[in-house]
Structures are given as C-alpha cells and as structure tokens.
Amino acid sequence: MAILVIAEHDGKQLKPGTTNTVTAAAKIGGDITVLVAGTGCAEAAQAAAKIAGVQKVLLADAAHYAGGAAENLTALVQGIAGQYSHILAPATGYGKNFMPRLAALLDVQQISDISAVVSADTFVRPIYAGNAMATVQSSDKIKVITVRATGFDAAGEGGSAAVENIAAGADTGLSAFKSQELSKSDRPELTAARIIVSGGRGMGSGDNFKILEALADKLGAAVGASRAAVDSGFVPNDYQVGQTGKIVAPELYIAVGISGAIQHLAGMKDSKVIIAINKDPEAPIFAVANYWLVEDLFKAVPEFTAAL
C-alpha cells in the first residue's frame, strides 16, 4: 500500500495535526509520502522529511498554491491520486476545505474525522457530537480520510526522507488567495497548547475575558471560548473550541462559565485533566470534569490567579 499525507503548513513550519496524521498513516501500514504544496515552502518540505516513518516528500511550489486554495490543491492531488491507496489530511479547517472536493472528484465516500485505525479498510470515528463511536469499513479503491489529531500521538523526528520536486498543476482560475490577517499573541496556539483556559457565555462580556487572560498568563496557557461566547461577540472565532471550532486535548483544560453543551464537550473532552468553574451546580460540564468548583467565576478566578 502507498499512503499520501497532505501537509498543512505556513511555508516554514508544519501546522499541528500533520505529524498526528502521519501517525494515523503508519497505523494503516504501507509507504508514507507527504505532499507539501504552497509558495516558498521548501523549508516546510524539509521539516516533513524529518518526520519518522516518512519515506518520501513531494514538493509542489507555485504561486497559485498560496494560502492553500482548495480548488488548485484539489486539482493537484487528483492528478496523482491514482498512485495511492489512502489519502489523508488533518481534520482541520484546511483539510475539511479540500478533502470533500477530492472525494467527490474521485467518486469515493470520504471517511471523516477518524480517531482510531482498526485495519487498512476499517476505522473508528465519532458521531452524535462525540457521544458515540462508529466503526466504518470502506471498499473504495482509494480511501479519502480526514484525521482527528487528538486521537493520535504526534510522530517524532528522526526521518531522512528524500524531497522530490513535482510539476505544479495548472491554475484552475476558480479562486485566488488575496491576503490573510493573523492574530499575534505571546500565548501558545490553541491546538498546540499544553494548558487552555476557556470562557463561556457566563463571562458576560468581552472585557471580562481579561480575568481569564491574567490567569492564562500565569499558567503559560492559551485562551479559548465556547461557541456561545464567540457568537455573542466576546472574542474572535479563532478562540472557539468545540464541534464547529477547534478540537483540543491539552494536559489541562480549565472551563470557566461554560455550561457544557455537547457541541463544546465534543471539542475538549479528551483533555487529560478538566477543571470546571460554574455557579450552576447542575451544569453539564461537571459530568466530564475531573475537578469542579461551584462558585461565582468573578470571585473564584481572581482568587485562583492571585494564589498562583
């Protein structure tokens, strides 16, 4: 078997999730090739070559791959798909954008968000917002799969794969990358953080997130939020943790003023240790918490921060 992993990167570094996807590919078994497509991304290709278990890295460097435009990336992968039995990508916004397009063009059924590999054709994936796990089997000749990063450990370094330049496909002309604005922060990136402090609707306003930021700074943590807090305009949507946000599994997750809707739990319940602070003793978040405090967050969090 030959497996193709599509790398998510910023041109210089691989994004969190790519190395986890390589681990999933290794569990399937077979030769693993990583595709790095972008503009000025040779450094990312070299990083991919160092991942343990990777046999080859394909580098497609062209202006029309800037920003990971789904239409052009899909056309590129479609052109080489016949060489592989499995095509994998992280189940991030990046992977979710182009993988369904690829599955449609290949006329196969996508297997989404896998969290375990049973065999080369059988996989486990969450359904019903993570409240049940489905074991699915595919007979498609080419299996198009997105991988839930929290279900697999990140592959380490130690590889020495060859990097092969491949011809860029034609520009489809269907979309073009214009620009992007990145949030700058001294805090860790949400999906890579060891500790996350998240706030919900109970925070009351965006200004009140300052008390969470003070706690996060003491802990060296990232700041997250529930969808309710994002929809209320308290914080930007790149803070969102949950089924429709970012799936995280840090060593410590502190949920503050979050009731615990199943969509939020689906995004963080794999955290190693969960602490919940909520004044409602019946809040669903307490059902998954390892430690909890029934208290007014505006009293508890500043005391917590001061103690630290």
Side-chain angles (χ1 to χ4, degrees):
M1 290 185 296
I3 303 171
L4 181 66
V5 172
I6 316 298
E8 182 176 2
H9 61 90
D10 62 6
K12 297 183 180 299
Q13 297 178 324
L14 299 175
K15 293 286 188 73
T18 298
T19 51
N20 307 74
T21 303
V22 170
T23 298
K27 289 182 180 293
I28 294 170
D31 293 337
I32 301 172
T33 298
V34 175
L35 171 65
V36 177
T39 302
C41 53
E43 199 170 330
Q46 291 298 329
K50 295 176 183 177
I51 302 173
V54 173
Q55 277 77 41
K56 184 193 294 186
V57 175
L58 302 179
L59 173 60
D61 196 322
H64 56 274
Y65 296 135
E71 292 83 358
N72 289 328
L73 181 57
T74 301
L76 172 66
V77 179
Q78 183 188 9
I80 60 175
Q83 304 171 39
Y84 301 96
S85 59
H86 298 72
I87 300 175
L88 280 64
T92 58
Y94 173 81
K96 292 175 181 178
N97 191 19
F98 76 88
M99 289 291 271
R101 303 168 191 261
L102 176 64
L105 289 169
L106 296 177
D107 195 24
V108 299
Q109 297 187 68
Q110 178 175 307
I111 306 169
S112 301
D113 217 21
I114 68 165
S115 58
V117 174
V118 178
S119 67
D121 65 356
T122 307
F123 310 91
V124 177
R125 61 178 301 271
I127 58 174
Y128 303 131
N131 284 298
M133 305 303 287
T135 300
V136 297
Q137 188 173 43
S138 171
S139 59
D140 287 325
K141 184 177 179 182
I142 301 174
K143 294 164 182 60
V144 175
I145 302 167
T146 58
V147 175
R148 176 172 286 205
T150 57
F152 301 89
D153 294 333
E157 291 192 349
S160 56
V163 177
E164 177 184 327
N165 290 282
I166 62 172
D171 186 349
T172 63
L174 296 172
S175 67
F177 175 73
K178 294 297 184 183
S179 65
Q180 66 181 357
E181 294 182 14
L182 299 177
S183 300
K184 294 183 179 180
S185 174
D186 293 330
R187 299 189 187 95
E189 202 277 327
L190 198 57
T191 56
R194 292 176 54 250
I195 304 172
I196 296 174
V197 179
S198 276
R201 185 185 281 116
M203 297 304 300
S205 72
D207 287 341
N208 289 334
F209 265 76
K210 291 176 182 176
I211 69 172
L212 296 190
E213 291 168 356
L215 175 58
D217 290 342
K218 286 281 188 181
L219 293 169
V223 177
S226 68
R227 179 171 180 171
V230 172
D231 286 351
S232 298
F234 297 169
V235 289
N237 65 0
D238 59 348
Y239 280 44
Q240 186 176 323
V241 173
Q243 186 179 20
T244 53
K246 294 176 179 176
I247 308 294
V248 299
E251 293 178 20
L252 175 62
Y253 189 90
I254 303 174
V256 181
I258 293 175
S259 62
I262 60 171
Q263 291 85 355
H264 185 75
L265 299 184
M268 47 64 72
K269 67 181 182 180
D270 290 332
S271 304
K272 305 301 183 290
V273 176
I274 300 171
I275 295 174
I277 302 173
N278 200 300
K279 65 181 180 181
D280 177 8
E282 302 299 323
I285 191 73
F286 291 145
V288 299
N290 300 95
Y291 304 95
W292 58 91
L293 176 63
V294 180
E295 181 62 273
D296 184 342
L297 68 90
F298 297 106
K299 175 177 180 292
V301 176
E303 289 178 353
F304 189 5
T305 306
L308 289 167

